Amino acid sequence: LTSSDTHNTPLDALIARQRPGWSLEQPFFTSPYIFDIERRGWLAKQWFLLGHRSEAPAAGSYIVRELLGESLIIVRDGRGVLRGFYNVCRHLGSRICDRDGKSNSLVCPYHGWGYLLDGSLRSAAALPANIDPASLGLHPVPVREVGGLILTSLTGSAPNADAIAREFEAGLRFHGIPEARVAARRSYPIHANWKLAFAKIARDIADPGQTWKTLDTWSRERAHPGSPLPISDTSPTTPICSASRAPIGAGRQTQSEDGLPVAPLMGKLTHYDGGVSLFRCEPFIFLAALNDHAVMVRFLPAAADETRLELTWLVNSSARESQVDLERMTRVWDMTVLQDKELVERNAAGIRSRAYTPGPFSELESKSARFVSRYLGELRAP
Ligand code: FES
């Protein structure tokens, strides 16, 4: 395998000459050819956070979302089960839906072919008699609903969605995520490869920076006793898919600038205990649940040098607009992401230089080193 944008070096040779503990070579951050291999291989297998239950709440509600260059329709069928399909008509391939909606069928605007909510073909004008309509259903994609989160994947093979559900379900229910509503959403285009964005932003999200001493004290004195989640820092041995709680620190009740509440309590919390529960399945599923709001983080690799980061803030569905301080709720995350975006884009700009060569990770960057070795292992796999 070779391509001009890997400087005519075969991919296996590029992988083979990577030095353990050093950053990746330039083509892994810049080459559309390598991005395409990732997109069809490793990325296609990953589960992504697509949305929240409240966005497709009733039979017939559907959402239209982009994932890895594909347009997908996620629809709740008549039995209340979410189903996912490629947004591609089985007649001549037109896009079927442009935006979220609600209907008892999906109708392609081009020549009017109609599909039931289970994806099967319902009506097609003048279909030749020898063609079986049952063979012309929409192409499915795997979808899972876990504690109110809508997860999807192009092939759904890694990691196992049952493992995500086992880790997440009880904790998400404790935080009232299935009954939450979307309060705000912001999108941040980042002019950098997804691996750079992941390395910086995921580390910032996953590291509350607490010591074990603080954790012990918090766990004894303040933490809500009813939580099903373990209290833990994000030590390097933490698995790729995990859910745990830690204190935000500095006596804060929630993650606002002054630490004061920004919305009514969620789920089973009866008082502010100043904790944050982190649900993560790296590299593409993150949710931070505070006492009074939660933040869904979506990383969307869009091209070799483009990543979209999307934040969605959830609040208690019974919270009135006047009880939610959107400005104070979104400010800390917004500022952090904008700072990270600038750092990541400066990093990407340097990597695009002909002078860039890989550098050694410091002892504080062991997570990045482990991610690189896992990534290379996946890329090497057939
Ligand atoms: S392409 Fe959809 S009905 Fe013809």
Side-chain angles (χ1 to χ4, degrees):
L1 294 171
T2 179
S3 156
S4 61
D5 58 34
T6 58
H7 312 308
N8 292 319
T9 310
L11 180 59
D12 358 356
L14 268 182
I15 295 173
R17 77 181 188 208
Q18 272 293 145
R19 297 166 70 176
W22 287 61
S23 65
L24 289 163
E25 299 221 14
Q26 186 186 54
F28 290 105
F29 298 112
T30 56
S31 155
Y33 167 73
I34 291 183
F35 180 73
D36 203 48
I37 292 174
E38 293 173 346
R39 196 170 69 84
R40 292 167 190 279
W42 193 47
L43 293 180
K45 289 193 277 180
Q46 304 301 311
W47 285 89
F48 288 79
L49 185 51
L50 202 77
H52 181 259
R53 176 185 174 78
S54 61
E55 297 175 78
S61 1
Y62 60 88
I63 57 177
V64 181
R65 298 287 182 272
E66 291 279 327
L67 182 64
L68 301 174
E70 301 287 352
S71 174
L72 306 178
I73 307 171
I74 311 295
V75 59
R76 197 172 291 280
D77 73 12
R79 292 183 299 120
V81 177
L82 279 184
R83 292 167 175 273
F85 305 104
Y86 284 88
N87 192 2
V88 177
C89 181
R90 291 300 306 276
H91 179 213
L92 301 181
S94 169
R95 283 277 165 92
I96 302 165
C97 303
D98 295 326
R99 57 188 68 81
D100 300 0
K102 187 162 187 281
S103 171
N104 56 13
S105 64
L106 302 169
V107 178
C108 176
Y110 203 176
H111 312 98
W113 280 31
Y115 301 88
L116 296 175
L117 301 181
D118 64 3
S120 59
L121 182 62
R122 185 198 62 176
S123 56
L127 190 67
N130 61 344
I131 306 285
D132 178 10
S135 67
L136 292 172
L138 296 175
H139 292 297
V141 285
V143 178
R144 276 295 286 264
E145 196 169 350
V146 175
L149 304 182
I150 300 174
L151 310 180
T152 192
S153 165
L154 294 187
T155 67
S157 44
N160 185 310
D162 291 335
I164 304 176
R166 262 197 313 276
E167 282 294 325
F168 283 17
E169 191 89 43
L172 291 170
R173 291 193 184 283
F174 172 76
H175 281 282
I177 302 303
E179 302 84 33
R181 69 170 168 87
V182 173
R185 174 167 286 158
R186 275 180 209 164
S187 192
Y188 305 82
I190 301 175
H191 184 32
N193 183 270
W194 67 271
K195 295 184 284 298
L196 291 176
F198 167 75
K200 173 70 184 135
I201 297 169
R203 197 167 41 197
D204 278 4
I205 295 167
D207 193 1
Q210 298 304 311
T211 64
W212 278 104
K213 189 160 173 278
T214 320
L215 284 174
D216 280 348
T217 316
W218 180 72
S219 150
R220 265 196 324 274
E221 296 174 2
R222 284 198 70 197
H224 194 290
S227 168
L229 299 176
I231 289 172
S232 155
D233 70 357
T234 51
S235 61
T237 52
T238 323
I240 289 160
C241 207
S242 70
S244 61
R245 303 203 76 209
I248 307 166
R252 290 167 187 276
Q253 294 177 298
T254 194
Q255 218 158 29
S256 57
E257 262 178 316
D258 55 9
L260 294 174
V262 292
L265 287 168
M266 293 180 76
K268 296 194 169 58
L269 281 147
T270 48
H271 64 278
Y272 287 86
D273 73 355
V276 55
S277 298
L278 190 71
F279 300 82
R280 66 196 175 106
C281 200
E282 293 182 357
F284 298 113
I285 300 175
F286 289 93
L287 179 131
L290 289 308
N291 289 178
D292 55 4
H293 67 284
V295 187
M296 296 194 326
V297 183
R298 298 182 66 208
F299 277 99
L300 298 165
D305 58 357
E306 284 298 331
T307 305
R308 200 155 58 80
L309 181 74
E310 187 189 88
L311 298 184
T312 303
W313 286 265
L314 303 172
V315 295
N316 191 323
S317 61
S318 58
R320 294 190 303 278
E321 303 263 315
S322 60
Q323 292 177 300
V324 180
D325 190 332
L326 280 181
E327 165 61 27
R328 285 176 53 245
M329 185 171 71
T330 54
R331 198 169 154 74
V332 172
W333 282 81
D334 188 53
M335 278 174 11
T336 308
V337 167
L338 289 174
Q339 280 165 9
D340 283 353
K341 170 179 154 75
E342 191 185 336
L343 289 168
V344 169
E345 287 180 340
R346 287 174 64 87
N347 192 175
I351 287 175
R352 283 193 286 272
S353 163
R354 58 188 295 195
Y356 168 78
T357 49
F361 287 121
S362 79
E363 283 169 7
L364 300 175
E365 290 156 339
S366 56
K367 279 188 183 175
S368 301
R370 266 199 310 281
F371 174 72
V372 164
S373 100
R374 179 177 160 223
Y375 163 79
L376 291 170
E378 295 284 352
L379 216 54
R380 225 179 264 123

